[in-house]
Every structure is written in structure tokens, then in C-alpha cells.
Amino acid sequence: MALIINDECIACDACREECPTLAIEEGDPIYYIDPDRCTECVGIYDEPACISVCPVDCIVPDKDNVETIAELQFKYKNLEIEE
């Protein structure tokens, strides 16, 4: 599943800089994760990079956007091709 950023976000920019798929965008007033680009870092890191750097723990699983590991890997491969 993709991740979402909840209302506890302090817009510190730490997560956006760490996202290898450029899925995190600046929003108003909080940041936003594009579910079409979020792979939860599957195929890149052992855990989502954004979660590990977030100082307020505001990045959580998006229960409305559930994906399997295979789907996340497929999405990552397609994003690699785009670049």
C-alpha cells in the first residue's frame, strides 16, 4: 500500500529529500505522497526512507490504497523505465 502523511506533518522537508521515487510533494499546509509514485521503497531500501527520517511520525500506511509487494516492485520497475 502507498503511504500517506497525516495532519501532524510539520512540513520540515526531511521526507521529500529522502524519497527515491520523488513521490512526496509540498502541499498546503502539509506534504502529500503521490500514491502512483510511492513504492514504500520496495526494491530500494529495507524500509520506507520517509518514515525513518520523519521527526513527528506522521507518515502512515494508506488503508485505502493497498498493494502487494509484487505490485510495489512492478511500480518501481516502471518508474525506473520512465527515468
Side-chain angles (χ1 to χ4, degrees):
M1 75 182 64
L3 301 169
I4 59 171
I5 298 175
N6 65 30
D7 292 340
E8 294 175 26
C9 176
I10 59 173
C12 68
D13 206 41
C15 61
R16 188 171 73 156
E17 293 179 9
E18 291 297 318
C19 183
T21 61
L22 307 174
I24 302 174
E25 302 172 15
E26 190 172 351
D28 184 29
I30 64 173
Y31 281 64
Y32 169 79
I33 298 177
D34 180 349
D36 294 332
R37 295 193 66 85
C38 180
T39 64
E40 292 186 48
C41 294
V42 169
I44 308 162
Y45 302 122
D46 292 336
E47 62 182 34
C50 58
I51 291 176
S52 65
V53 299
C54 180
V56 293
D57 297 326
C58 67
I59 303 170
V60 296
D62 181 356
K63 295 186 185 342
D64 293 330
N65 195 354
V66 178
E67 297 169 294
T68 65
I69 297 294
E71 290 171 321
L72 292 168
Q73 289 171 332
F74 180 76
K75 186 191 308 185
Y76 175 65
K77 288 178 184 175
N78 285 334
L79 289 171
E80 277 188 316
I81 292 169
E82 283 179 16
E83 297 173 6

